[in-house]
Amino acid sequence: MARYIFITGGVVSSLGKGVTAASVGRLLIARGLRIRMIKVDPYLNVDPGTMSPFQHGEVYVTGDGAETDLDLGHYERFTGTPTTRRSNFTAGRVYWEVLHKERRGDYLGGTIQMIPHITDQIKTMIRAVDAEGVDVILCEIGGTVGDIEGLTFLEAIRQIGLEEGRERAMYLHLTYVPFIKAAGEIKTKPSQQSVARLREIGISPDALICRSEVAIPEDARRKLSLFCNVQPHAVLEERDVAHSIYEIPVVLHEQDLDGIILRHFGLDAPPADLSGWTAMIERIVRPERTVRIGVVGKYSELQDAYKSIYEALNHGGIAHRARVEIVKIAAEQLENGSDWPPEAGDLHGLLVPGGFGARGLEGKVAAIRRAREEGLPFFGICLGMQCAVIEFARNAAGLAGANSTETAPDTPHPVICLMEEQAEVVDLGGTMRLGNWPCALQPGSRAAAAYGAESVEERHRHRYEVNNAYRAQLEAAGLVCSGRSPDGHLVEIVEAAGHPWFVATQFHPEFRSQPLAPHPLFRDFIGAALARAGGGDGAGAAPAAP
Ligand code: GLN
C-alpha cells in the first residue's frame, strides 16, 4: 500500500508549489522509490480545458487525453512518470459526481453534506490514482491555505492521515517568508498564521519549506520551528535559484528532505543518486553557445501561457549544451506589414505555438512567411502548423485568401477546416481531438530523421485539420506531408521542401519533452538554429546526458 505526502501552500499563491512538489518527486526517485503525483484544484470549473490562459496559464494534456492543470507538466518533466486523467481533479468535478449520485438516488434519501459526502468523494478520487507497485503518492493541494473553497480538501486529507495512520501520511507546507527591506528583516508571522489555520483543521505539518529571496538566519528558523510546531531540522529554505528550476531537487536534497521523508515513513532506501540530474544541470549552468529563438504568440506577456513550449525549448538547448534565449513576440505587432520589433533583433529560429481564435493570426502568418522565405529555422505547433499551411497555400501555392474556417468561415480556400465528426459538436469542454494519436512518418523527412522511427505517438488538442481537398495542390507546390495518421486521412506533420528546417506539427510535442529526455523535434530545431547562428553542429546532434 502506498504512503501519502500532501503538499499545501501558505501565505500567497505563485510560490512554485507545483515545481516544489515535482522536485520532491524527483528526490524520491533518486532514492530508488516509485512514485505517483496528483494535483487537486479547489476551484469550480469541471476541468481547466475551457479556462482562459489569462486566468489559468497553459492547459496541459495527458497521454490519455485529459485537459489538466499545468503543474502536471512539471510532474512529468521532473519525474519522467506519466500522469493520466486521474492525476488532476477539481472541486467542480467532485460536486458533479456527488450531484449525479444524488439524482440517481444513490444516497437513499440522506441529506447530502460537505462532510461526509463531499469529503468522501475527494478521498475516493485521491485514492483512485493507480497505486499498483507505488511506494509514495504525492498529492498537491491547489490554492492557498485559508481559501474558503479549499476547506473540504484540507478536511479530506486530514481524514486520510487519520485513516492511513500518521506513519503512512505526511504533510509538507510550502510557505513564504518575506524580507522587509525597510526593516532589513525577514518576517515569520505570515507563516505562523498560515500554519495556525492548518492546525485549526487538525493538520500539523511535518516539514516547512520556506520560499524566500534571502537566506533565513538561524534565529528565524528556530522561531518558525517553535511557532509552527515543526522540528528545527525540518524547517527548510527554498531560495530563488540562480539558473534553473531544475536545481530545486538538489537544494532540497542538500537540506536532507529525502532523509526527513524516509525517516517519517520508516523506509529504507539507497543513498540519493542525482548524478544524471546534476550532469543535466551542469549543461544548463555552463552552456557553450547561445541561440535566439522568437516565439510569436498571442499571450506573450504571460509567464505561464506557453510553459511547456518554453521548457521544451530549454530542453532542446540542454541537448546541445546551448543557452536558449527566448524572444517573446506579440503576434499582433507583426500585422499590417510591420517589421520584426527591435527586441527580436537577429533571430536564429522561429516558433509559432498553439492557440485559438482570430487575434494575432495574420501576424503569425506574416512571421512564418518570413521564416520560410529567409531560410530561418521554423517550428510550428498546432495552430502554428495551421498558420504554416495557410501561409504556404497563399504564397507558395497561389491560393489567394486561403484560411482556416475557424477564423474565416467564408474563405474561398478553406485549407484548414472541421472534419465531419467535429462539426456536430456544441459543448466546448473536453470535445476536441485530445491525447495520444499515432502518426506514421515519411522516410527521409526531417521528422523521421529527428525521431529515428517510422511511427510515433503524440498528444493532440484541437478541432480543425488540414483539408484533404487541397493536399495535392499544396504538395505540388512543395509542402511535404511528412506525418499522417496511419489511415492516411489526417495530416499530422508538414515540412517545406528545400528549407534548412521547416517543420510543423498538428500535435503538441512540447508535452512530452523532459530535461533528461529532450524531445527530438525540439532538439533538432535548436540544432538547426545553432547551425544558422554559425559554428553549430546542425540537426541531429547528440542527445543530453541521461
Ligand atoms: N484552434 C485550432 C484548432 O482548434 C488550434 C488549436 C491549438 O493550437 N491547440 O484546431
Side-chain angles (χ1 to χ4, degrees), residues 166 171 195 198-199 202-206 228-229:
R166 286 297 279 114
Y171 300 91
V195 171
L198 270 180
R199 291 169 69 196
I203 295 172
S204 196
D206 300 294
C228 299
N229 197 38

Side-chain angles (χ1 to χ4, degrees), residues 227-476:
F227 285 101
C228 299
N229 197 38
V230 174
Q231 293 290 335
H233 68 274
V235 177
L236 313 187
E237 167 188 306
E238 190 189 310
R239 255 198 282 170
D240 297 345
V241 281
H243 304 278
S244 158
I245 52 173
Y246 299 123
E247 294 172 71
I248 294 170
V250 179
V251 168
L252 297 177
H253 172 64
E254 282 165 354
Q255 299 175 75
D256 194 32
L257 181 59
D258 43 320
I260 293 169
I261 293 170
L262 288 171
R263 285 194 295 279
H264 179 97
F265 289 138
L267 278 173
D268 240 355
D273 177 6
L274 281 165
S275 53
W277 194 261
T278 47
M280 176 270 291
I281 294 171
E282 171 65 21
R283 297 170 81 94
I284 299 176
V285 174
R286 267 176 270 287
E288 283 160 2
R289 285 171 289 166
T290 299
V291 269
R292 283 166 67 79
I293 303 293
V295 175
V296 179
K298 175 165 134 177
Y299 302 106
S300 306
E301 65 281 20
L302 303 179
Q303 278 278 20
D304 282 351
Y306 304 117
K307 191 97 215 161
S308 295
I309 296 270
Y310 297 150
E311 287 305 308
L313 283 171
N314 287 326
H315 303 159
I318 292 172
H320 297 276
R321 253 204 132 96
R323 192 171 84 82
V324 178
E325 193 186 314
I326 294 171
V327 182
K328 300 175 182 172
I329 305 169
E332 277 168 297
Q333 256 182 291
L334 303 177
E335 278 167 11
N336 308 322
S338 347
D339 230 334
W340 292 131
E343 72 273 16
D346 195 11
L347 295 177
H348 308 122
L350 183 84
L351 185 147
V352 178
F356 293 83
R359 184 166 71 83
L361 190 107
E362 289 303 327
K364 292 174 185 176
V365 170
I368 294 168
R369 176 172 199 174
R370 195 161 161 165
R372 188 175 58 80
E373 290 178 349
E374 291 179 9
L376 181 64
F378 166 74
F379 196 1
I381 290 175
C382 209
L383 182 65
M385 164 185 156
Q386 297 174 356
C387 289
V389 171
I390 292 168
E391 189 282 317
F392 197 88
R394 288 183 192 169
N395 304 315
L399 298 166
N403 216 323
S404 162
T405 55
E406 179 182 11
T407 46
D410 43 16
T411 166
H413 297 296
V415 289
I416 305 293
C417 67
L418 277 184
M419 294 284 169
E420 278 143 39
E421 307 82 281
Q422 285 286 356
E424 323 262 301
V425 170
V426 275
D427 272 4
L428 286 185
T431 55
M432 287 182 266
R433 178 146 84 100
L434 284 168
N436 276 344
W437 286 72
C439 169
L441 303 173
Q442 179 170 312
S445 62
R446 297 243 179 259
Y451 284 106
E454 285 170 12
S455 74
V456 289
E457 221 178 31
E458 291 280 5
R459 300 183 198 175
H460 291 247
R461 180 175 185 252
H462 58 100
R463 277 199 182 85
Y464 293 80
E465 308 278 354
V466 173
N467 187 345
N468 286 322
Y470 286 94
R471 205 138 113 188
Q473 250 173 300
L474 294 169
E475 284 175 336

